[in-house]
Amino acid sequence: MNSYLGRMAEFTRELAVHLGGDEPAVLAKRTGLREVTVRALLAGDGELLSWEVVSACLAAAGVGGGESAAVRERWVAAEQALWDERGGDLCAAFERNRNGKPTKIVETYQAKVPWRRLTSRHPVTFEPWTLPGFAAERELPDPSAAADIRDFYRLLAKLKGWAGSPRQSEIERRSWGTLPDATISAMLQKDRWRTTSDRERVRVGYFAVACGLPEAEVTRWVEAYERLRHVAPPDDLAQARAEAAKLRLRLADSAAEVEDLRERLAAAESREPAEPPMPAAAPPTGKQWKPRGRRGTAAAIAVLLFAGGVGVGRVAGGDGASAGDPSCFHGRLRLIGSTAFERTANAIRRGYESRCKGATIEVLPIGSNEGVRALTLGNAASTIAMHDGHLAADSDEIRLRGFRGFPIALTAFAVVVHKDTKLTGLTVQQLRTIYSQKGAPTNWNQFRGGADVPIRMVSRTEGSGTRTIFEEQVLNEPEPELSSRDCQRKDAIRAAARIVRCERSSQAQVLGTVDQTPGAIGYAELHAATNLRRYPNLRILTLDGRRAGISSVENRYPFVAPEIFYTYGLPPNHSPAAAFLTYVVGDSARRLLEQAGFIPCLSAASLLSPPCQARSA
């Protein structure tokens, strides 16, 4: 009875006893599984189904505690026996073809060895799944219930919850490395539905498999994706038209208010210095933030222009703190997001804290997208997101949640290589061929003057604002697939990839890895890349003969973008976020940025520079 068939029979008998004779159709209705899946589980004559499926049926039948533990003990024994009996075929396959794609080996041996036999390195070994913790009531989501592709991705996230919310590293192991951690993060982003593809269809299948679904269930998800991949949410067009109409009204109101503010400002400046200033208009009712005073005038106009997406207008900014200074707050404020924004944010933070003694500002560089995700209605008063470049006008953050962007300063990014490449510059077209999806150079000696060293890409993880700017403004396409963890060589399970490409979660990690890896190429904020004491082996490349730098904007250096503060709507009156933004659009912050070597987006005449304005669609 120690054979797989014997253990499988023991498990099936134990399961039948505890399910109490419930009909397959009843269990299928309670669990959301297909009836064919439940019948296969009860028959015990097919593949050994995952514990996710088994536990769902047990829960539907009201089995728990010690009874469920007894069934799991039988299931684990059958799983181990199957590996002991048939895992040798899979091990031999890897021995014969260590560089073969793991997906091909899985497809070949799936009938002999269950797909849950996982490995991230050769030799292949038996690695049991982490025992998931399931919710008290769980029902498998039905992908056929999705009306459009956005609904489908919402259900895909629920599928992960149904499987016990396994960690992304666990899903990566379960998929034989087909779904790297960064890919899983991207799949579960709320805007993933905008980037459908054949490759995504394959990923959906592997994701469903990694959540414990058998082939019959996986097919449902893949077919649903194929049916919905080109079905955009039906309300988008109507909603966009309605929002466009509202925006036109807001812009008209903003223009009228700007003109009124200009007239008031001109009248105030025409008075004698000894004459008292013109009294301010009565503050509006409601909880929206409306800064006051001359510096408040600058902030108010900046808010109106930035929120409406106009980006032009002349205002005046004041200076000097006072006892009732609306730009000072007492308490704590978080600036969270872009790692490339960190230096700019710290420059403003130091100036602000020295001016406003009761304020504490915490700068948390965790990535542009993570910073945006951290913004909620609940923390709108005390949290500002740092983002590289503008969010898309049709993103959920702008359309549905009312995020407001405030351009702060221009930032130049650098393409860097390890000095042993012997190169000092590339054309943008050469850079695109290196990162091409369709096949490209793999050794630096394929470029004039380049050394005989293999090309190794060190990139930011998906969701990085710097990476988004690099892909959209420089490459005009996504970067190649991930193929390496250590950045030195391809992973065994990704040996068929065209080139070595790894990912790092911060620009400091990217720069450190390029500095230590011969043949490496990467990208980061320019000032961080110029730290030769910390990164002695780095070399900053020119692009099309132009040196990296903000001063090269007029010379069309392509890797430049504005750094944007985003808030969840307009911050409430008298909140830390409102006070801080009042300061940011004033003369003090502008001069502070200039002294630190930045080019502020708002000039001395409070004109928003064209490079800082959002690109029109």
Side-chain angles (χ1 to χ4, degrees):
M1 293 294 290
N2 290 328
S3 68
Y4 164 63
L5 292 179
R7 295 294 189 184
M8 183 70 171
E10 290 178 350
F11 161 69
T12 304
R13 285 196 297 270
E14 187 82 23
L15 181 65
V17 169
H18 289 90
L19 289 181
D22 284 330
E23 289 295 323
V26 175
L27 286 175
K29 184 176 182 180
R30 292 176 184 171
T31 60
L33 293 164
R34 297 182 65 183
E35 186 174 340
V36 65
T37 300
V38 178
R39 288 189 181 278
L41 176 64
L42 296 176
D45 56 0
E47 65 172 299
L48 179 64
L49 298 186
S50 70
W51 181 247
E52 283 79 359
V53 171
V54 176
S55 62
C57 291
L58 291 172
V63 179
E67 293 180 329
S68 178
V71 177
R72 177 166 174 80
E73 186 176 318
R74 298 288 190 186
W75 179 86
V76 170
E79 184 184 44
Q80 181 68 61
L82 181 55
W83 175 256
D84 293 341
E85 188 172 298
R86 304 181 186 178
D89 289 343
L90 188 58
C91 293
F94 272 93
E95 285 288 353
R96 289 191 301 270
N97 186 12
R98 297 189 181 193
N99 294 327
K101 288 188 177 180
T103 54
K104 296 296 183 183
I105 297 177
V106 172
E107 290 166 2
T108 302
Y109 289 90
Q110 188 172 19
K112 300 179 181 180
V113 180
W115 40 261
R116 63 177 59 82
R117 305 298 168 229
L118 310 171
T119 183
S120 57
R121 294 289 185 272
H122 180 82
V124 62
T125 56
F126 171 54
E127 298 182 26
W129 288 22
T130 301
L131 179 62
F134 302 116
E137 295 182 4
R138 48 193 285 253
E139 182 176 344
L140 182 66
D142 182 4
S144 65
D148 53 60
I149 191 63
R150 183 159 54 189
D151 283 346
F152 175 83
Y153 274 101
R154 288 172 181 161
L155 293 179
L156 201 67
K158 291 183 178 179
L159 173 60
K160 181 172 179 282
W162 174 86
S165 300
R167 292 179 179 272
Q168 292 180 178
S169 58
E170 176 74 4
I171 293 179
E172 181 174 2
R173 289 200 306 124
R174 296 182 182 189
S175 68
W176 293 71
T178 304
L179 298 177
D181 187 287
T183 299
I184 300 165
S185 294
M187 287 185 70
L188 298 179
Q189 287 179 4
K190 54 185 171 296
D191 279 348
R192 184 65 174 188
W193 63 273
R194 300 180 184 276
T195 57
T196 59
S197 65
D198 289 340
R199 185 165 59 183
E200 188 75 357
R201 179 182 58 205
V202 175
R203 288 171 174 167
V204 167
Y206 276 106
F207 187 89
V209 166
C211 288
L213 297 184
E215 184 177 355
E217 301 287 347
V218 172
T219 301
R220 296 173 66 197
W221 287 86
V222 175
E223 289 177 348
Y225 175 83
E226 189 62 30
R227 175 176 60 86
L228 298 169
R229 60 187 289 187
H230 299 304
V231 182
D235 61 332
D236 272 14
L237 182 58
Q239 187 171 359
R241 288 172 175 167
E243 289 175 351
K246 291 180 181 179
L247 180 59
R248 285 193 291 271
L249 291 175
R250 285 172 52 200
L251 291 178
D253 292 342
S254 298
E257 189 165 350
V258 167
E259 188 61 33
D260 178 63
L261 290 170
R262 284 176 176 162
E263 292 176 359
R264 289 170 52 196
L265 181 62
E269 290 178 339
S270 66
R271 295 177 179 273
E272 293 296 329
E275 200 170 338
M278 179 182 293
T285 60
K287 297 183 179 180
Q288 290 286 304
W289 167 53
K290 300 290 183 183
R292 294 166 294 182
R294 286 191 66 203
R295 180 170 51 259
T297 302
I301 295 180
V303 167
L304 291 170
L305 296 178
F306 297 162
V310 179
V312 290
R314 301 183 65 85
V315 297
D319 206 4
S322 64
D325 190 349
S327 70
C328 282
F329 70 86
H330 290 268
R332 182 176 295 273
L333 175 71
R334 291 195 313 163
L335 305 180
I336 184 169
S338 164
T339 59
F341 206 152
E342 181 181 9
R343 190 172 75 94
T344 310
N346 276 323
I348 301 174
R349 174 190 62 79
R350 287 189 292 268
Y352 188 88
E353 289 180 342
S354 65
R355 174 193 183 99
C356 303
K357 301 302 182 182
T360 300
I361 300 176
E362 185 179 14
V363 178
L364 301 172
I366 62 173
S368 291
N369 279 17
E370 293 301 320
V372 166
R373 289 194 194 103
L375 283 183
T376 66
L377 183 61
N379 63 22
S382 59
T383 301
I384 296 175
M386 306 181 291
H387 195 275
D388 297 332
H390 290 271
L391 290 170
D394 61 349
S395 65
D396 283 354
E397 288 83 5
I398 301 296
R399 294 190 312 108
L400 304 179
R401 300 167 68 190
F403 280 21
R404 304 300 174 92
F406 302 86
I408 302 303
L410 283 171
T411 293
F413 300 88
V415 177
V416 297
V417 295
H418 193 283
K419 65 182 182 182
D420 69 352
T421 61
K422 306 299 183 185
L423 292 180
T424 58
L426 291 169
T427 66
V428 171
Q429 187 56 45
Q430 287 174 329
L431 192 63
R432 288 172 180 170
T433 63
I434 293 174
Y435 284 86
S436 173
Q437 303 272 6
K438 301 177 181 178
T442 57
N443 193 295
W444 289 110
N445 63 12
Q446 294 173 259
F447 296 96
R448 185 176 180 179
D452 184 12
V453 183
I455 297 173
R456 298 179 172 97
M457 300 178 186
V458 184
S459 303
R460 292 293 301 277
T461 53
E462 195 163 1
S464 158
T466 304
R467 173 172 166 177
T468 299
I469 292 168
F470 184 60
E471 291 177 334
E472 293 181 353
Q473 295 187 196
V474 182
L475 300 184
N476 290 334
E477 68 172 341
E479 293 192 43
E481 287 286 349
L482 182 70
S483 64
S484 174
R485 291 178 181 272
D486 62 11
C487 304
Q488 297 284 346
R489 60 191 64 81
K490 300 172 192 173
D491 295 343
I493 61 176
R494 304 185 182 97
R498 178 183 65 80
I499 199 166
V500 172
R501 179 177 171 275
C502 63
E503 294 181 354
R504 296 294 182 260
S505 59
S506 71
Q507 67 172 3
Q509 292 176 354
V510 168
L511 293 171
T513 303
V514 174
D515 181 69
Q516 298 296 319
T517 307
I521 181 173
Y523 47 85
E525 190 265 332
L526 175 60
H527 183 269
T530 58
N531 190 342
L532 295 180
R533 177 174 296 181
R534 187 172 183 179
Y535 310 114
N537 297 318
L538 283 189
R539 179 171 289 171
I540 298 175
L541 297 181
T542 61
L543 297 180
D544 287 338
R546 300 181 179 91
R547 297 182 61 184
I550 298 296
S551 59
S552 299
V553 171
E554 293 78 9
N555 296 329
R556 302 184 64 82
Y557 177 73
F559 207 179
V560 172
E563 294 173 332
I564 316 292
F565 277 147
Y566 275 100
T567 60
Y568 196 110
L570 292 178
N573 279 337
H574 314 299
S575 66
F580 181 72
L581 288 174
T582 302
Y583 170 79
V584 164
V585 299
D587 289 343
S588 294
R590 177 185 55 78
R591 287 195 296 267
L592 189 153
L593 289 170
E594 290 173 342
Q595 292 168 4
F598 299 101
I599 292 187
C601 284
L602 210 59
S603 67
S606 296
L607 181 68
L608 188 64
S609 63
C612 289
Q613 297 177 30
R615 296 181 177 182
S616 58

